[in-house]
Amino acid sequence: MRRRTMLKGLVSTAGFVAAGFRLPLAQAVDYRGKLFVFVQADGGWDPTSFCDPKTNTPGEPVINHWAERNEIEEAGNILYAQFANNAAFFEKYHDRMLVINGVDAQTNSHTVGVVHNWSGRNSEGYPAMTALLAARFGSDMPVAYLSFGGYSDTGGVARYTRLNNASLLRNIARPTVSEYDAERRHMDDADWTAVRRRLALDAERRTVEPNVLPGDAFNRRLYQTAFASTEGLTAYADAIPPEDELEQWIEHETPRGNMFWSDLRRQAQLTMLAFKTGVAVSADLFLGGFDTHATHDPDHEWLLSNLTDGVDYLWDYAEQHGVADRMVVVIGSDFGRTNFYNSQDGKDHWPIGSYVIMEKNQPWTNRVVGETDGLHFAQRINPRTLKRDDTNGTIIYPKHVHKALRRYLGNNSSGARRFPFNNTEDFAFFG
């Protein structure tokens, strides 16, 4: 019954759209442009223990315990905190890294912070940058936008695929084969070919019907292209290793007894294989747990180490599969954490955060833009000079980062123009 239900969903327009899958047109695999990964450190990370390091100020509450025994370090032109596994990460990647500090999320609310940092707008309605990039560069790919969690609003410009179970993807790519026994066939090739032919004819009939509203016409086009080709999705399914060869979940218990889980490496692995086989162009990777209201240091130490380990694995796996030179990686969070510890040795919500943007062989890397003072208050920055300017500068907001990224990445599609950043300064983050 489970198998029959899944097949029924595949031949239903509503079921297909809900699953987030659309089979590719022939030219999708030929895409050779940039590939995009957004890594969401969910819960509100602490930039003062990462890429905007702060030591303790005499007469003020302690901002960081690590600063009681260590100094701020520098890799290339980028300062970092001597905490967690930061040293290895920044020493290895500073030359492909732009750090944007002092970004004001204008909120202490997780909901607003997530929406603001990943859409550029502090209220609902704007899509994630990942969705806009998928619509611009991967509209004919079967799973153009992969989401492993976090903010994934599409604004109607694209569809995302929530990929948490590789075996189910294999079933969708090969619906004639048993989920549990590869030697068992549900139908022979001739029958499956007949089913697909009938679906394609039905899709064609629907798209040429007169007097169809634009929204319905768009959805019917998606239905039609869903059955254009199965080769791309099958190639992706074939590229995914068996379960015992996939990167496994990591479980960690801190000295205080807090439990954390992460499959960030597996997310990176599945994303790179999707990029390699030409079925996706963008992905949201997700690591939760950063809301460290108690026992901040031991929890954040493991979380930041796992985050940098996952991003390191992402780059190494991308090199292994020949896509690293095309990849853009953006790392961020809801907001930051307070510039003092609470009574439980934790840190609460603080609106000032950071982004880290990574790409190989670019003139704008090995740089830090934006500034905060010793207590992690954001300072005004001149959009043209990128220097502190208390008179003519402005606080950096997520909209400034999103607008600059859109321009740099060539995301000027009709979908992006539906969600403009009007009356927003143009920051020259990328030159």
Side-chain angles (χ1 to χ4, degrees):
M1 179 61 70
R2 177 181 173 190
R3 181 70 180 187
R4 192 171 300 137
T5 301
M6 187 187 76
L7 287 174
K8 181 179 178 182
L10 277 176
V11 297
S12 161
T13 304
F16 210 95
V17 172
F21 288 98
R22 177 159 62 90
L23 300 181
L25 298 179
Q27 67 268 25
V29 74
D30 296 330
Y31 175 73
R32 291 294 180 269
K34 291 185 178 183
L35 304 162
F36 314 98
V37 180
F38 285 63
V39 185
Q40 301 186 24
D42 190 70
W45 66 358
D46 185 0
T48 72
S49 293
F50 188 53
C51 60
D52 191 6
K54 301 299 176 188
T55 55
N56 299 315
T57 301
E60 297 289 345
V62 170
I63 188 171
N64 281 310
H65 289 314
W66 64 260
E68 296 171 339
R69 57 189 180 276
N70 292 319
E71 299 293 329
I72 293 173
E73 290 291 336
E74 186 172 10
N77 299 318
I78 297 176
L79 301 177
Y80 66 87
Q82 280 200 63
F83 184 73
N85 198 33
N86 293 345
F89 183 70
F90 284 93
E91 290 293 340
K92 183 174 181 179
Y93 291 110
H94 66 270
D95 62 347
R96 64 182 76 172
M97 184 182 297
L98 169 68
V99 175
I100 304 177
N101 287 328
V103 182
D104 188 355
Q106 299 178 287
T107 185
N108 285 335
S109 162
H110 287 298
T111 301
V112 177
V114 167
V115 172
H116 199 180
N117 275 281
W118 299 116
S119 75
R121 189 168 181 260
N122 63 2
S123 59
E124 294 183 353
Y126 270 38
M129 174 76 75
T130 343
L132 291 173
L133 292 166
R136 171 68 177 85
F137 298 107
S139 61
D140 291 326
M141 294 181 181
V143 288
Y145 173 17
L146 294 174
S147 172
F148 294 90
Y151 186 76
S152 55
D153 196 301
T154 66
V157 302
R159 291 176 297 169
Y160 70 84
T161 299
R162 184 61 57 85
L163 184 56
N164 295 323
N165 190 322
S167 65
L168 292 181
L169 174 67
R170 296 188 189 97
N171 292 161
I172 293 171
R174 305 188 201 92
T176 62
V177 180
S178 169
E179 177 181 353
Y180 305 103
D181 182 1
E183 301 300 321
R184 179 184 174 192
R185 301 291 299 269
H186 291 293
M187 65 180 74
D188 61 29
D189 291 339
D191 287 343
W192 178 235
T193 299
V195 169
R196 292 186 63 240
R197 184 182 300 115
R198 176 55 186 266
L199 289 169
L201 290 172
D202 185 51
E204 178 67 24
R205 176 184 60 79
R206 290 173 181 270
T207 57
V208 298
E209 289 179 353
N211 303 320
V212 178
L213 293 173
D216 290 337
F218 176 75
N219 289 332
R220 291 181 182 188
R221 177 184 174 277
L222 295 183
Y223 181 75
Q224 182 183 29
T225 58
F227 303 99
S229 171
T230 61
E231 288 78 9
L233 195 60
T234 302
Y236 180 35
D238 289 342
I240 297 175
E243 180 66 27
D244 60 352
E245 295 179 21
L246 282 170
E247 292 292 323
Q248 299 301 305
W249 280 81
I250 297 172
E251 181 177 309
H252 175 74
E253 182 175 0
T254 70
R256 300 290 184 91
N258 294 333
M259 296 297 301
F260 293 98
W261 295 266
S262 170
D263 68 338
L264 193 56
R265 280 183 166 231
R266 177 178 289 207
Q267 296 174 33
Q269 185 178 26
L270 293 173
T271 296
M272 289 305 101
L273 293 174
F275 288 172
K276 180 183 180 180
T277 53
V279 300
V281 71
S282 68
D284 287 327
L285 276 55
F286 179 87
L287 177 64
F290 284 88
D291 197 21
T292 50
H293 288 282
T295 62
H296 172 272
D297 283 12
D299 293 357
H300 239 73
E301 183 174 21
W302 185 83
L303 288 162
L304 284 174
S305 295
N306 189 265
L307 177 68
T308 55
D309 174 75
V311 175
D312 179 44
Y313 176 85
L314 173 77
W315 280 108
D316 284 349
Y317 204 68
E319 292 283 0
Q320 179 182 337
H321 289 281
V323 298
D325 290 338
R326 302 163 55 197
M327 197 161 66
V328 179
V329 178
V330 180
I331 312 170
S333 189
D334 317 9
F335 36 62
R337 307 210 74 78
T338 50
N339 53 7
F340 57 89
Y341 293 86
N342 61 29
S343 60
Q344 300 180 72
D345 216 23
K347 292 186 180 181
D348 300 317
H349 300 172
W350 186 254
I352 310 304
S354 299
Y355 289 96
V356 176
I357 302 170
M358 305 177 72
E359 189 176 3
K360 292 182 66 178
N361 305 316
Q362 297 300 324
W364 46 264
T365 56
N366 193 20
R367 294 165 57 233
V368 177
V369 176
E371 184 178 336
T372 58
D373 66 12
L375 296 179
H376 202 219
F377 286 91
Q379 304 301 299
R380 293 180 175 273
I381 304 299
N382 187 297
R384 183 177 57 84
T385 67
L386 302 182
K387 304 296 184 181
R388 178 172 172 177
D389 186 340
D390 295 336
T391 303
N392 298 310
T394 179
I395 298 297
I396 299 174
Y397 300 109
K399 64 182 179 180
H400 293 120
V401 179
H402 280 254
K403 186 175 184 179
L405 271 172
R406 286 191 189 185
R407 183 176 62 252
Y408 171 66
L409 298 175
N411 194 1
N412 58 354
S413 65
S414 59
R417 291 194 297 271
R418 286 171 48 197
F419 303 97
F421 294 112
N422 296 324
N423 303 314
T424 299
E425 298 85 354
D426 287 303
F427 271 80
F429 295 129
F430 306 100

